[in-house]
Amino acid sequence: MDKNHTITILGTGYVGLTTAALLAHSGYRVYAVEPNQTRLDVIKQGKSFFYEKGLDPVIAAALEKGSLIPTDSYEVSVPASSIVFSCVGTPDNPDGSSNLTYVFSAAEEAGRLMAPDTIYVQKSTVPVGTGARIEESFAKLGKAISYVSNPEFLREGTALQDTLFFDRIVVGGNDHHATGQVLELYRALEASRTAIAAIAGVDSAPQKGEYITTSLSSAELIKVTANAFLALKISFANSIAKLADTVGADVVEVMNGVGADERIGRAFLHAGRGYGGGCFPKDVSGLIASGLDHGVDLTIMTAAQAVNDSMPGYIIEKLQRQLGDTLTDKHVAILGLAFKAGTSDVRRSPGIALANMLTRAGAIVTAYDPQAREEAADTLTAGVTQHDSIDAAITGADAVIVATEWPEFIEYPAAQYAATMQGTLVVDAINRLDSSDIQAAGLTYIGVGR
Ligand code: UGA
């Protein structure tokens, strides 16, 4: 296959590996570059090193076809490609801003190796203005490399479905030929998506399928603004949940009625333990930091962040009041350590925050998550004991907190809580359980804003 149909993807996290595996089924030869040998070995066996529904069969089939080539080498992959995607990690700095070390080092190393006229596509989430800096560094190389911002909107847990049946593809850049070339990749993906969905075993989804071309800085800002707005909606719902608690309203009913207004919409108004993950917390603090850098006051986002940070403590206070004002030696079981259902990712997970806060407050904490056990082990404080099932985690517990919406937690029969726990408190930190079922089993239901 010629260079015009060869793509390199730098970084094989959620975004990079999903993009690589899908484009490898859309008529392209794709190098997936991963410097970490342990991770690379897993990918070479046709698997991902994190849990994402449907991804493993897509990787395995692409390896078998020979269209996906996992490698640790920039030298092998980058010079042979007409388009290079940067999907490297952007970990948090201690001040909450994004650490761009990998973004810049990947661009520098690829810049050295890219053939003239290569297109460099940024998929990693970066603060507005980053693209202009990288573009400048490419210009100094004198190779006519075009820089395109192509932000990613997939969600963990539904990564394949989101990418195959997308609402929008955004590309921003100064070179219109280059932005057009990147859109072509997505058109090819769109043409192959039914076959890919069948390999992955994911359902088709309704989609708007808009293609949007913008300036470079607009594309960068679209990404963080979209995440910040969703985070804002969640914090707004959580603020109203606190009011609902004091006035005896049910925030689920309130948001259902509010979201029925099409101008508002029901999505992301689900109150509970707050948002976590590798994106919202970092993108909110990153946007605040960008505002500060440019002298723009984004108090609205500072407030959203403060509300989110308050939610685990707020839930623990509600529990503590029911437990007789002390947590010391009380056995609390946490169900759900991933930052949401459908993933093993525990970055900024509310379930972990709850477990660690309770341990610090003197409680005896047990926990269970169907996918995140290994990833949670490093982040949980020493006192938390992980178990392999709901039953094992809640045996003898005074209270249980359901912190993610894994179906097995929602479907778990209320009578079984009653039979297995020692106490009677069920804290629904995701507002998804049936409160009447729980009460009918003789238990006390504690929701967030209910
Ligand atoms: C988010 C965005 O939804 C994606 O569009 C984006 O591409 C991605 O970040 C990214 O920047 O990479 P993700 O972090 O995977 O995706 O997860 P979400 O499903 O958006 O959930 C984020 C957090 O918000 C979770 O902890 C979830 O439980 C919480 N949430 C979500 C609520 O508390 N309430 C809601 O109503 C919705």
Side-chain angles (χ1 to χ4, degrees):
M1 201 174 270
D2 66 22
K3 177 169 160 288
N4 289 336
H5 283 91
T6 304
I7 296 165
T8 285
I9 310 273
L10 306 173
T12 61
Y14 290 93
V15 172
L17 195 51
T18 304
T19 308
L22 295 180
L23 288 175
H25 285 281
S26 308
Y28 300 97
R29 185 162 76 133
V30 183
Y31 287 105
V33 183
E34 174 53 63
N36 178 311
Q37 285 305 323
T38 317
R39 291 178 171 193
L40 187 63
D41 287 343
V42 175
I43 299 168
K44 282 181 174 169
Q45 288 158 28
K47 287 185 285 197
S48 56
F49 50 86
F50 47 83
Y51 173 72
E52 182 62 52
K53 185 173 176 275
L55 187 52
D56 288 1
V58 177
I59 296 172
L63 287 179
E64 202 169 313
K65 276 208 294 189
S67 56
L68 180 67
I69 309 156
T71 176
D72 59 359
S73 168
Y74 275 53
E75 279 78 6
V76 168
S77 56
V78 172
S81 301
S82 61
I83 301 188
V84 175
F85 278 88
S86 165
C87 302
V88 298
T90 53
D92 288 8
N93 279 324
D95 68 356
S97 62
S98 288
N99 178 340
L100 298 178
T101 312
Y102 301 127
V103 168
F104 287 119
S105 59
E108 196 183 322
E109 199 171 343
R112 202 166 49 78
L113 294 164
M114 279 187 285
D117 297 323
T118 302
I119 301 169
Y120 193 78
V121 187
Q122 190 64 258
K123 257 200 176 301
S124 302
T125 301
V126 292
V128 57
T130 307
R133 281 175 64 188
I134 297 176
E135 202 169 40
E136 225 171 86
S137 71
F138 286 161
K140 287 190 187 136
L141 299 170
K143 285 191 197 171
I145 296 161
S146 298
Y147 183 94
V148 173
S149 166
N150 168 220
E152 181 52 60
F153 302 107
L154 67 77
R155 289 163 298 174
E156 292 175 25
T158 50
L160 275 85
Q161 207 173 33
D162 289 348
T163 313
L164 292 172
F165 304 96
F166 53 88
D167 276 339
R168 81 293 212 191
I169 300 295
V170 174
V171 290
N174 297 315
D175 175 348
H176 290 258
H177 174 70
T179 50
Q181 292 284 103
V182 177
L183 289 182
E184 277 310 306
L185 301 183
Y186 288 100
R187 292 210 168 87
L189 177 65
E190 194 174 359
S192 320
R193 69 182 175 198
T194 314
I196 303 176
I199 299 171
V202 301
D203 294 333
S204 302
Q207 56 122 36
K208 286 207 233 81
E210 269 184 65
Y211 290 92
I212 300 172
T213 307
T214 67
S215 73
L216 180 51
S217 52
S218 294
E220 289 174 331
L221 207 49
I222 285 169
K223 165 67 194 192
V224 280
T225 306
N227 275 1
F229 187 71
L230 294 171
L232 192 62
K233 282 186 93 175
I234 299 168
S235 281
F236 179 76
N238 280 330
S239 303
I240 301 300
K242 290 181 182 177
L243 181 61
D245 266 338
T246 63
V247 299
D250 180 342
V251 72
V252 175
E253 288 177 355
V254 173
M255 289 308 163
N256 189 36
V258 170
D261 183 331
E262 277 186 14
R263 294 171 301 172
I264 299 170
R266 289 194 171 93
F268 285 74
L269 284 179
H270 203 92
R273 78 297 192 254
Y275 57 78
C279 304
F280 285 1
K282 196 170 60 188
D283 289 351
V284 168
S285 49
L287 192 60
I288 294 167
S290 284
L292 284 174
D293 281 351
H294 295 91
V296 176
D297 175 15
L298 291 172
T299 315
I300 192 164
M301 294 320 308
T302 323
Q305 189 178 51
V307 171
N308 197 58
D309 290 347
S310 76
M311 294 316 292
Y314 178 77
I315 290 167
I316 289 173
E317 271 171 34
K318 283 190 80 169
L319 170 64
Q320 190 168 346
R321 279 197 292 277
Q322 295 285 336
L323 280 169
D325 275 338
T326 178
L327 289 163
T328 310
D329 293 336
K330 293 285 172 9
H331 176 182
V332 184
I334 306 283
L335 299 182
L337 297 171
F339 81 95
K340 64 173 188 176
T343 180
S344 55
D345 192 345
V346 298
R347 286 176 292 171
R348 302 286 191 104
S349 164
I352 300 235
L354 285 162
N356 289 348
M357 282 173 89
L358 284 161
T359 311
R360 278 198 297 276
I364 299 158
V365 181
T366 51
Y368 165 65
D369 188 287
Q371 290 293 340
R373 184 179 182 131
E374 227 171 281
E375 291 182 37
D378 294 338
T379 330
L380 284 172
T381 55
V384 182
T385 312
Q386 289 201 67
H387 289 278
D388 283 330
S389 67
I390 302 179
D391 286 335
I394 70 169
T395 298
D398 296 299
V400 57
I401 303 182
V402 181
T404 64
E405 65 281 33
W406 283 109
E408 66 178 279
F409 300 161
I410 293 168
E411 287 154 16
Y412 191 79
Q416 211 164 325
Y417 280 122
T420 319
M421 293 167 63
Q422 177 190 303
T424 58
L425 301 177
V426 175
V427 181
D428 179 9
I430 48 167
N431 283 349
R432 300 267 180 169
L433 305 184
D434 188 328
S435 56
S436 39
D437 272 3
I438 287 169
Q439 282 155 349
L443 300 165
T444 303
Y445 175 88
I446 306 172
V448 184
R450 308 185 86 180

